[in-house]
Amino acid sequence: SLADVAQIYGEHGFWKAQAGLYSVLDVLHSSVKISDGIFRVQDNRRKRKTDPLVTAAREFLQSNLAVKVSLQSLARHLNVSVSTLSHRYKRQMNEPPMKTHMRFRLEHAKNLLLKGHTLKFIADETGFSSPYHLSNMFKLAEGMSPRAFLARAEGRARQRTS
């Protein structure tokens, strides 16, 4: 399992597990809702190859979690127009690049929460202007506050050890 990889290989394993988790999340994100609670996962083998522009954009977004990235600055970094970037990215990923960046930032925030860091530290590490801003965005995306997320995660960890 991904947790085993992280435990066996330490810090490097943690990042390998994160990469695996993002791969799973990408598959789930591309699924299509058939009815309540039933989704069909797309067969990615039949999809066209990933657009190199999209790959470069995702890599830039992932490596700039603590920096405020605008669509204009991302397009400028990639030497394309905002329109080209937006259209090609959305066609490939089914979401705008800034939504992906927010998702990456919040996933990183969750990991830092689970490691015991303060909201102030996490806000600084993930590019939010304040702990309050982080908390609001977290609650909007996750449907619960960072504190509730942490309490739920700790409760699950206690259940596994019992």
Side-chain angles (χ1 to χ4, degrees):
S1 79
L2 293 177
D4 295 332
V5 169
Q7 280 187 329
I8 292 168
Y9 296 103
E11 182 78 15
H12 178 69
F14 171 79
W15 291 112
K16 281 184 92 157
Q18 286 300 309
L21 177 61
Y22 283 123
S23 295
V24 170
L25 289 173
D26 278 342
V27 168
L28 293 175
H29 185 263
S30 68
S31 65
V32 176
K33 185 174 183 178
I34 295 173
S35 64
D36 274 353
I38 299 174
F39 294 83
R40 179 178 26 148
V41 176
Q42 299 291 338
D43 183 357
N44 291 331
R45 293 173 297 186
R46 285 187 271 160
K47 281 189 173 182
R48 62 183 170 264
K49 288 189 174 189
T50 303
D51 184 335
L53 175 68
V54 172
T55 300
R58 288 176 59 85
E59 287 171 358
F60 182 83
L61 294 172
Q62 183 68 48
S63 63
N64 287 281
L65 299 178
V67 180
K68 185 173 183 175
V69 176
S70 69
L71 192 56
Q72 291 78 10
S73 66
L74 179 58
R76 197 171 29 254
H77 172 77
L78 298 169
N79 296 316
V80 296
S81 71
V82 169
S83 178
T84 295
L85 173 61
S86 295
H87 286 86
R88 285 172 59 182
Y89 194 96
K90 178 123 183 177
R91 186 178 332 121
Q92 185 85 46
M93 301 307 302
N94 297 319
E95 72 179 2
M98 296 302 94
K99 186 172 183 179
T100 300
H101 192 234
M102 180 61 71
R103 206 166 27 85
F104 287 166
R105 292 166 65 200
L106 290 171
E107 285 301 317
H108 188 49
K110 285 186 212 174
N111 290 326
L112 293 172
L113 268 171
L114 294 172
K115 289 181 175 184
H117 293 288
T118 66
L119 283 182
K120 170 76 174 109
F121 175 83
I122 297 168
D124 291 343
E125 287 292 304
T126 54
F128 291 98
S129 59
S130 67
Y132 179 76
H133 182 218
L134 165 62
S135 188
N136 281 344
M137 296 309 292
F138 192 99
K139 190 169 186 177
L140 188 64
E142 299 299 319
M144 67 180 81
S145 69
R147 182 176 292 183
F149 168 81
L150 194 53
R152 190 179 77 180
E154 288 171 348
R156 286 181 178 167
R158 269 187 251 119
Q159 285 177 346
R160 278 184 274 169
T161 58
S162 301

